[in-house]
Amino acid sequence: MMINEVLECFKKLYGGEGDIRSYFSPGRVNLIGEHTDYNGGHVFPCALTIGTYMAARRRDDRKLRFYSMNFKKVGVVESSLDDFSLGEEGNWTAYPKGVMWTFGEKKHPVLSGMDIVVYGNIPNGSGLSSSASLEVLTGVMLKDMFGYDDLTMVDLAKYGQYSENHYNHVNCGIMDQFAVAMGKKDNAIFLDTATLDYTYAPIRLDDAKIVIASSNKKRGLGSSAYNTRRSECETALAEIQKVRNIRSLGELTPAEFEEVKNAIKDPVRVKRAKHAVYENARTIEAVRDLQAGDIAAFGKLMNASHVSLRDDYEVTGKELDTLVEAAWACDGVIGSRMTGAGFGGCTVSIVKNDAVDRFIESVGKKYLETIGYAADFYVVSIGDGAHRLA
């Protein structure tokens, strides 16, 4: 089992004495509702059974020692609770350190140094939220280690978002951290990002599987067009607010948007806002379809979501479009779309059981021919949120 390897590595690096604890935090995939979370709309993510493992132990001083089994060449990174660099660490430790810093900012200080080993089986840069997984994992560990029982899992999701916004300088919404913290086996989370009201919706795929295709095109959110898209939506919202009393784009129905879109002074911003409004409506409709057992209708909305992300939000790119278009051409595919921020990363497809092998072969072949390097495929299951293991 994965965690046993992490514990073995921990003992080799730091010794096996004392109170060594272990934790797990999932990755997540968003089934529909993309770039709606920071626009006050709805999202529909689920936690996965792949994720990030951690072994940790408190120290008697203020030293921090981090080691990732995924970045062995980096080695043990030593730091201190007196040395927070606000995301300028230049390596992966900026994520757990950001959460430690956030705990201090939120009056839940980290009271002693720590020895930490992590290992993740989420593909790096894939758009399956390896960063949010590590953030919430660190939060669960700190809550447990220092006895902060007043903190809820929703609090830990908010701390992870705060850390990413203010320490790592990525203007992300709440969805990733919320899904990682609040995941439930065999359920997706129907989340209103404006209020954080949520319900669990069972995912009943009796004759189908969720298949993730990783484009293997790496993309860094902070340096990508992500922040630009968010700014464009904020400007469009401000323009609409001159003629309509709303707090977010997510409050508008498509019909209401059509009535006020002329208030937006730039055609590019019109497209950005249109995606946010229509994608929110698609997400609400998709959950109703799923609850009614209409997987085919759900799949059609996934496809429409990708078209909007490609044409109105312009965050797909050749790699993701190639994967999705190859999926659409494959028999047995119920729906397929990009997932995550875009600009690389992954697609999510719902594929009938008897077509999964054929899907992986045909989509993989088309992608290799078109792009020049291979995609990776993962048939995934829906799991629980972040928690202590032992």
Side-chain angles (χ1 to χ4, degrees):
M1 186 180 171
M2 204 76 69
I3 191 58
N4 293 336
E5 296 172 33
V6 176
L7 287 165
E8 196 61 36
C9 178
F10 185 97
K11 291 169 185 175
K12 283 182 181 175
L13 281 174
Y14 306 131
E17 67 281 353
D19 181 13
I20 304 168
R21 302 183 187 182
S22 57
Y23 307 86
F24 173 76
S25 181
R28 71 95 190 93
V29 67
N30 191 27
L31 297 176
I32 194 167
E34 218 65 74
H35 289 282
T36 52
D37 60 340
Y38 52 82
N39 285 308
H42 293 77
V43 292
F44 196 52
C46 55
L48 302 175
T49 50
I50 57 175
T52 315
Y53 297 82
M54 176 184 285
R57 181 180 61 201
R58 289 181 61 168
R59 297 175 57 89
D60 294 329
D61 55 18
R62 293 180 65 77
K63 182 185 284 187
L64 297 168
R65 293 195 293 184
F66 299 95
Y67 181 78
S68 170
M69 295 168 66
N70 298 88
F71 301 107
K72 292 177 180 176
K73 288 182 180 177
V74 176
V76 175
V77 179
E78 293 202 4
S79 184
S80 163
L81 289 171
D82 303 309
D83 176 26
F84 288 109
S85 305
L86 290 176
E88 302 301 321
E89 283 81 357
N91 58 51
W92 68 274
T93 65
Y95 293 101
K97 285 185 68 178
V99 176
M100 292 176 180
W101 171 82
T102 297
F103 265 64
E105 293 288 297
K106 302 293 187 181
K107 312 303 182 196
H108 290 85
V110 180
L111 300 170
S112 69
M114 313 206 71
D115 292 331
I116 291 170
V117 171
V118 301
Y119 173 73
N121 56 4
I122 305 169
N124 284 318
S126 62
L128 299 181
S129 292
S130 56
S131 57
S133 179
L134 182 55
E135 289 158 1
V136 176
L137 179 65
T138 304
V140 168
M141 181 273 291
L142 294 174
K143 173 187 172 177
D144 179 58
M145 283 283 191
F146 298 103
Y148 289 131
D149 296 335
D150 57 316
L151 293 177
T152 66
M153 292 303 290
V154 173
D155 290 330
L156 296 184
K158 291 178 178 177
Y159 280 22
Q161 183 198 17
Y162 186 92
S163 162
E164 190 136 352
N165 291 169
H166 299 281
Y167 195 90
N168 290 292
H169 316 299
V170 176
N171 212 4
C172 68
I174 189 66
M175 176 184 69
D176 292 356
Q177 291 84 1
F178 196 97
V180 168
M182 300 296 291
K184 182 179 178 183
K185 182 176 167 55
D186 296 330
N187 284 260
I189 306 169
F190 183 45
L191 172 66
D192 182 338
T193 61
T195 63
L196 295 191
D197 290 338
Y198 68 96
T199 55
Y200 289 108
I203 303 294
R204 298 186 188 92
L205 300 177
D206 298 330
D207 186 36
K209 294 279 193 303
I210 298 172
V211 184
I212 307 294
S214 174
S215 69
N216 288 323
K217 181 190 178 185
K218 300 293 188 277
R219 53 104 186 97
L221 276 184
S223 59
S224 73
Y226 178 94
N227 289 341
T228 303
R229 293 298 182 279
R230 183 160 185 164
S231 174
E232 287 167 341
C233 286
E234 287 168 354
T235 303
L237 172 63
E239 290 170 320
I240 292 172
Q241 285 171 332
K242 293 176 181 176
V243 298
R244 180 71 65 96
N245 182 23
I246 57 169
R247 289 164 299 176
S248 70
L249 294 173
E251 293 181 24
L252 294 172
T253 65
E256 289 168 341
F257 173 75
E258 295 299 330
E259 291 173 3
V260 298
K261 68 181 183 182
N262 289 338
I264 305 172
K265 302 306 179 189
D266 178 79
V268 171
R269 290 198 296 273
V270 172
K271 293 204 300 181
R272 305 298 189 249
K274 179 186 175 184
H275 168 78
V277 171
Y278 278 70
E279 179 79 348
N280 185 47
R282 274 189 292 272
T283 305
I284 295 167
E285 186 180 349
V287 175
R288 288 197 200 108
D289 289 338
L290 200 61
Q291 289 170 332
D294 194 343
I295 298 294
F298 185 88
K300 288 177 182 175
L301 290 165
M302 289 176 70
N303 297 344
S305 169
H306 185 84
V307 171
S308 179
L309 288 158
R310 181 190 68 197
D311 297 347
D312 286 333
Y313 224 63
E314 298 181 275
V315 293
T316 58
K318 185 177 181 182
E319 292 82 5
L320 293 173
D321 288 339
T322 298
L323 285 172
V324 168
E325 287 161 17
W328 289 343
C330 187
D331 287 340
V333 173
I334 296 166
S336 185
R337 58 183 286 277
M338 64 150 272
T339 185
F343 318 108
C346 286
T347 65
V348 58
S349 304
I350 298 178
V351 185
K352 290 183 178 177
N353 286 342
D354 61 5
V356 169
D357 291 343
R358 185 170 66 249
F359 168 85
I360 292 172
E361 181 182 358
S362 65
V363 175
K365 182 182 178 190
K366 179 66 174 178
Y367 187 78
L368 181 61
E369 288 173 354
T370 305
I371 303 301
Y373 54 84
D376 289 323
F377 295 86
Y378 307 86
V379 182
V380 298
S381 300
I382 300 174
D384 288 320
H387 56 279
R388 180 176 169 180
L389 294 171

